[in-house]
Structure formats: structure tokens, C-alpha cells
Amino acid sequence: KKYPEYQGKFTFIQLSSPIDSKIAQANSYSTSVTQEIERINNLYKTNNWKPIVFIKKYHTHKQLDHYYRLANFCLITSLHEGMNLISKEFVAARDDEKGVLILSQFAGASKEFSRDALIINPYDANQTAEAIHTALKMNDTEQTKRMKKLRNIVKHHNTYRWAAEILKMLVSIE
């Protein structure tokens, strides 16, 4: 709505695993998401294009890696979460050093990635729209600069380092 010049030129691909849940709230949420996607698509679609493609199925790591490499950006809108490994998977997959990470301030990884990802409040639709616009307009040089730094963080702040830091802390307890 805010950037009509993207209509017909930009498609948001939402990947999701099917919910096999006996928890009514999870099923209700899944239904709400699907209905919102349909509402947006009905508002803006044309004969040959729709703004959101929702792919609800299990994806192998190889399939996810393919999507990560194709994406201009990865949008993670967690409302409350721990580390969020999807952000790290996206960064690790981008050995071309392109693409932009847009990350919720509520995802744990936002603290690690705060300098080079675009950090958003997912409750703020205008801020999210601006981040998407910024990502789509970001030149290759800026993308490469940011992605190199993000990839360096992922490379050096891995599970081995985390385990070593935990062991160091445990040894220092008297």
C-alpha cells in the first residue's frame, strides 16, 4: 500500500511448516495467518501476480538453502523468541555475500546482529515497510559490507565457542 511501485514487481514468499497440533491456539493462529495472507492477496493481486506466496510444507535443509540464496532479504518478525537460528541459517547460506537480514528486535539474535541487520519492531507496520524498502534499494556494496560482518559473527560465535564459554564459567565458580 505504501509503495505501489512494487505491485507486480515484488513477491513475498512465506515459508511455513504445517502445524500438526492439538493445541487450539496454535491452530487458530495458523488460520488467522492464512486468512490475512488471503485478504492481502485479494486486495492487491492482478491476473498474473499476487503479493504473497504462502508455501506451507516441510522443507529440507537443501530446499531452505535454495530459498535463502534466492532472497533479496530475509524478514524475521518474531514477537518473542530465543536465539532464532533462521537468521543464522540465512546468513550462513549467503556465501555470495548478498541479501539483507531484517530482524525483529525481540529475536535473541538481534543483539548479536544489531549493527548489520535492519532491526525492526514487528508491531510497527510502517517501520517494517520502511525496512523492506531499504533492503530492496540497498546497493550491492552495502549488502556485501553488512553480510561479511554478519557471516563473521556466525563463523566465530558458534556452538563450540558457546560451550567453551560455559565450561570456562563453570570452572571459575568456586
Side-chain angles (χ1 to χ4, degrees), residues 33-49:
V33 168
T34 301
Q35 289 172 344
E36 184 63 10
I37 289 169
E38 290 169 1
R39 185 189 72 77
I40 293 167
N41 280 341
N42 287 332
L43 277 173
Y44 298 104
K45 71 182 177 185
T46 64
N47 288 338
N48 302 320
W49 174 82

Side-chain angles (χ1 to χ4, degrees), residues 7 16 31 35 57 59 69 104 126 131 139:
Q7 291 180 18
S16 176
T31 300
Q35 289 172 344
K57 69 174 201 134
H59 295 86
R69 289 170 189 262
S104 166
N126 189 56
N139 66 49

Side-chain angles (χ1 to χ4, degrees), residues 44-61:
Y44 298 104
K45 71 182 177 185
T46 64
N47 288 338
N48 302 320
W49 174 82
K50 61 182 177 177
I52 304 172
V53 173
F54 188 36
I55 303 172
K56 196 175 194 177
K57 69 174 201 134
Y58 291 104
H59 295 86
T60 66
H61 182 72

Side-chain angles (χ1 to χ4, degrees), residues 23-92:
I23 301 170
Q25 188 176 5
N27 290 320
S28 174
Y29 180 75
S30 178
T31 300
S32 295
V33 168
T34 301
Q35 289 172 344
E36 184 63 10
I37 289 169
E38 290 169 1
R39 185 189 72 77
I40 293 167
N41 280 341
N42 287 332
L43 277 173
Y44 298 104
K45 71 182 177 185
T46 64
N47 288 338
N48 302 320
W49 174 82
K50 61 182 177 177
I52 304 172
V53 173
F54 188 36
I55 303 172
K56 196 175 194 177
K57 69 174 201 134
Y58 291 104
H59 295 86
T60 66
H61 182 72
K62 186 177 181 179
Q63 291 169 325
L64 288 173
D65 198 55
H66 177 73
Y67 281 107
Y68 293 149
R69 289 170 189 262
L70 285 175
N72 297 92
F73 64 86
C74 180
L75 175 65
I76 299 173
T77 57
S78 308
L79 301 178
H80 176 74
E81 192 169 3
M83 186 48 64
N84 191 294
L85 295 178
I86 293 169
S87 61
K88 293 186 177 211
E89 289 173 2
F90 173 71
V91 169

Side-chain angles (χ1 to χ4, degrees), residues 2-15:
K2 186 170 184 170
Y3 293 102
E5 66 269 24
Y6 291 128
Q7 291 180 18
K9 297 178 185 170
F10 167 78
T11 301
F12 184 83
I13 299 174
Q14 173 66 49
L15 302 178

Side-chain angles (χ1 to χ4, degrees), residues 89-136:
E89 289 173 2
F90 173 71
V91 169
R94 295 312 299 250
D95 56 3
D96 63 349
E97 296 178 338
K98 298 289 185 265
V100 178
L101 178 62
I102 304 173
L103 186 58
S104 166
Q105 69 187 40
F106 305 117
S110 69
K111 287 156 189 55
E112 261 187 312
F113 292 159
S114 64
R115 290 181 163 202
D116 300 296
L118 302 179
I119 305 299
I120 59 162
N121 178 340
Y123 291 106
D124 186 335
N126 189 56
Q127 186 184 51
T128 303
E130 287 303 318
I132 291 170
H133 179 70
T134 298
L136 291 172

